[in-house]
Amino acid sequence: MPSPCVAIIGAGMAGLTAALDLAAKQVRTIVIERQGSPGGKLHAVPLGEAWIDDGPTVFTMRAVFEELFEAAGARLEDHLSLQRADILARHAWSESERLDLFADRARTIDAIGEFAGAREAQRYLRFTRDAQRIFSTLDRPFIRAQHAGPLALVLRVGLGRLPDLINIRPFETLWRALGRYFRDPRLQQLFARYSTYCGSSPFEAPATMMLIAHVEQSGVWLVTRGMQRLAEVIAQLAQERGAEFRLGTEAEAVVVRKGRVSGVHLSSGEFVPVDAVIVNADVAAVASGRLGPEAARAVPAVLPARRSLSAITWALLAQTRGFPLLRHTVFFSPDYAAEFDQIFRQQRLPVWPTVYVCAQDRGACDAPPSGAAERLLCLVNAPPNGDAGGYDATEIEQCEHRTFTFLERCGLQIQRRPQDTRLTTPPEFERRFPGTGGGLYGQATHGWRASFTRPGARTRLKGLYLAGGSVHPGPGLPMTALSGRLAAARVLEDLTSHGWWRRGGTHGGISTP
């Protein structure tokens, strides 16, 4: 019996990690990607001779990637140059209100004490201890494990740790929980922002999101040559292990015969026979029928009302003056509740948005590059309605004016030129990630059930598997990396149970039509 073949549709982070795991196990693996390069949302845009990351910009949970490389017989540090950030991020509310969070927790405690007082510093210490406890409770039984419902999670954690499970506070919103820790509304707002890492509102996301504070405290790294380098090195390693990459090739439909996956039809008309398919795309795209009716029926529908945040971004080459940017700087809206109400309930751009600025030529030092324009990504949250007509030029101009006016009020002047600016809006994100409305994180994590309602790797259709940020364990680079590995593990388990998997030599490479 010949060795089985697995197709992976989509070379985003989850597709890449699945490909590496399968290829390292000597399973014939074909990665089908409609773009000309791997990475998916891990994407960079050219401006002149410069490339600017306009997708994920924060690298955390390094151990996830170290384990991935180790499983493939390699070492992360031999392929990727990483520098640990001394300052996790800089935060501002006005020209005179600034607060840095440090990798060294003691320095953060001192900084909060100077910013908001000694009592708030002590409350922060209690907050970080609880965030660590939540993370340790969920890490192995839920985040790194195959998808489970509430009862299965209880059994995994064990009755002896049931109090720890109760204390993850799933029934309380993040905003309300933070109000129990901090009296200073600025600190409440700062740590509430972690809900946006999974595209959600802090006024509806569960307090469980506190665990992200522990993830960042455990380490933020800067990637030499940009975040897309991570996708490139994983793709290269997968190729060396035998995976075949077919870039610039679009999958049109998953073909089903006798009740199970039998192949993939490409837009070129070619049919690729396979034994299993891992789809690294948003579940909403699959459910909408973009890979055929059989695949659509195998996954749960995602209602537009449950979509996560979209964004408006400006990738810039520009000179800056005034405010001392770091690699990661956040400028907070004066009315956080109004911002999320406008986005999620009113489905319109916020009047005064929170602005994230990633200064990609800066590291630990907040001095600008000497004499030259620097690479910036400016991002504001937006409704996921990119498939509903989008915004006219006036609305975008107003949003842009308010965004950069707010930055100026905080002391940051950015000398922008149209020819050195790349604007991306929800309709563009919808075109890049169909079926999402431009939502960038799958379904929003609103309410305690949300994490359990994300599908797992297996679907109702034999041979069809899911991976990516809309799948368990959720969005964010390390989570999507884990989802790809979980999908690969399910495929290996099922192939083995059918007696199809045997080790054998394979050959592969990266090709473009």
Side-chain angles (χ1 to χ4, degrees):
M1 180 180 292
S3 296
C5 178
V6 178
I8 298 174
I9 299 175
M13 181 52 57
L16 293 174
T17 58
L20 180 53
D21 271 350
L22 290 171
K25 294 291 187 181
Q26 300 183 329
V27 174
R28 187 180 174 218
T29 305
I30 302 173
V31 183
I32 301 165
E33 169 56 55
R34 67 174 182 161
Q35 301 298 326
S37 59
K41 291 187 176 73
L42 204 60
H43 179 259
V45 296
L47 281 178
E49 296 182 357
W51 287 85
I52 300 176
D53 287 325
D54 77 336
T57 55
V58 181
F59 185 95
T60 59
M61 294 181 72
R62 175 174 174 158
V64 168
F65 298 95
E66 290 176 332
E67 292 163 7
L68 170 72
F69 276 68
E70 183 180 355
R75 297 195 314 161
L76 178 67
E77 56 267 32
D78 292 338
H79 296 264
L80 199 67
S81 177
L82 298 171
Q83 176 190 0
R84 186 164 185 168
D86 292 330
I87 304 178
L88 306 180
R90 177 160 288 170
H91 309 84
W93 290 261
S94 67
E95 192 167 7
S96 60
E97 297 171 287
R98 300 176 192 169
L99 175 63
D100 292 346
L101 298 185
F102 295 89
D104 182 344
R105 187 165 63 176
R107 291 182 67 187
T108 297
I109 292 171
D110 290 342
I112 290 177
E114 293 179 8
F115 179 77
R119 289 187 177 180
E120 291 294 82
Q122 289 304 308
R123 294 184 182 112
Y124 166 76
L125 183 60
R126 182 167 64 90
F127 165 74
T128 58
R129 288 170 177 166
D130 287 350
Q132 181 176 5
R133 187 178 301 112
I134 292 172
F135 179 82
S136 64
T137 299
L138 294 177
D139 185 27
R140 293 291 174 184
F142 188 73
I143 295 173
R144 292 173 180 264
Q146 295 289 354
H147 182 262
L151 179 58
L153 177 59
V154 171
L155 296 175
R156 286 178 185 176
V157 171
L159 295 179
R161 295 192 64 189
L162 191 56
D164 290 337
L165 194 58
I166 294 172
N167 287 332
I168 68 173
R169 305 165 86 167
F171 306 112
E172 187 175 25
T173 67
L174 178 61
W175 184 261
R176 183 177 179 84
L178 290 171
R180 298 181 187 277
Y181 290 99
F182 302 109
R183 302 296 179 267
D184 191 314
R186 296 170 300 178
L187 296 179
Q188 188 178 5
Q189 188 178 27
L190 189 162
F191 295 108
R193 182 176 175 270
Y194 288 133
S195 67
T196 66
Y197 285 31
C198 58
S200 306
S201 164
F203 301 95
E204 297 186 64
T208 310
M209 292 296 159
M210 286 167 48
L211 66 82
I212 299 174
H214 173 70
V215 168
E216 283 205 343
Q217 185 64 61
S218 299
V220 171
W221 279 264
L222 312 180
V223 182
T224 303
R225 296 174 56 186
M227 292 291 289
Q228 194 175 25
R229 181 63 183 155
L230 176 62
E232 293 170 354
V233 299
I234 297 176
Q236 182 63 37
L237 189 58
Q239 176 191 354
E240 292 172 2
R241 298 298 183 270
E244 175 187 348
F245 280 72
R246 302 184 63 172
L247 304 177
T249 303
E250 186 166 2
E252 195 169 71
V254 173
V255 179
V256 178
R257 291 176 184 162
K258 295 182 179 179
R260 67 166 298 115
V261 166
S262 65
V264 179
H265 265 308
L266 306 182
S267 56
S268 63
E270 180 185 356
F271 174 73
V272 181
V274 298
D275 301 289
V277 170
I278 297 174
V279 179
N280 177 204
D282 198 286
V283 174
V286 183
S288 68
R290 294 177 186 271
L291 290 175
E294 289 90 351
R297 288 192 291 268
V299 303
V302 179
L303 299 176
R306 296 174 64 186
R307 290 171 176 170
S308 60
L309 290 168
S310 187
I312 292 180
T313 67
W314 295 267
L316 305 165
L317 276 177
Q319 291 187 327
T320 64
R321 292 184 295 109
F323 189 98
L325 293 170
L326 288 174
R327 176 68 67 93
H328 305 295
T329 307
V330 183
F331 299 85
F332 281 104
S333 162
D335 191 338
Y336 220 36
E339 177 179 359
F340 285 97
D341 181 74
Q342 289 157 9
I343 291 172
F344 280 107
R345 190 179 67 82
Q346 301 178 36
Q347 287 287 299
R348 65 186 183 95
L349 298 174
V351 174
W352 292 110
T354 294
V355 187
Y356 166 64
V357 180
C358 180
Q360 297 175 22
D361 294 308
R362 305 197 190 199
C365 176
D366 59 17
S370 57
E374 59 181 309
R375 298 175 300 151
L376 303 174
L377 177 69
C378 301
L379 178 151
V380 300
N381 296 319
N385 55 8
D387 54 354
Y391 306 98
D392 60 32
T394 299
E395 290 175 296
I396 297 297
E397 288 172 4
Q398 289 175 343
C399 179
E400 183 170 334
H401 174 74
R402 290 192 295 260
T403 296
F404 289 93
T405 296
F406 179 50
L407 293 178
E408 289 175 2
R409 290 180 181 177
C410 292
L412 176 64
Q413 289 84 44
I414 301 177
Q415 299 176 343
R416 296 176 290 135
R417 302 193 308 169
Q419 64 268 34
D420 291 328
T421 303
R422 170 73 178 270
L423 171 70
T424 307
T425 63
E428 173 62 22
F429 285 122
E430 159 67 20
R431 285 190 288 273
R432 285 171 55 186
F433 312 112
T436 65
L440 298 173
Y441 312 86
Q443 72 172 32
T445 308
H446 290 165
W448 72 272
R449 294 184 181 87
S451 294
F452 297 110
T453 57
R454 285 194 193 98
R458 281 199 185 109
T459 71
R460 294 189 289 267
L461 176 60
K462 291 181 179 179
L464 182 66
Y465 304 83
L466 302 174
S470 62
V471 178
H472 172 78
L477 272 183
M479 301 302 186
T480 53
L482 287 171
S483 81
R485 301 202 70 192
L486 291 170
R490 283 299 198 203
V491 169
L492 290 170
E493 180 182 337
D494 292 347
L495 292 179
T496 302
S497 68
H498 283 83
W500 289 347
W501 178 41
R502 63 177 177 82
R503 294 180 182 271
T506 59
H507 300 279
I510 293 181
S511 63
T512 56

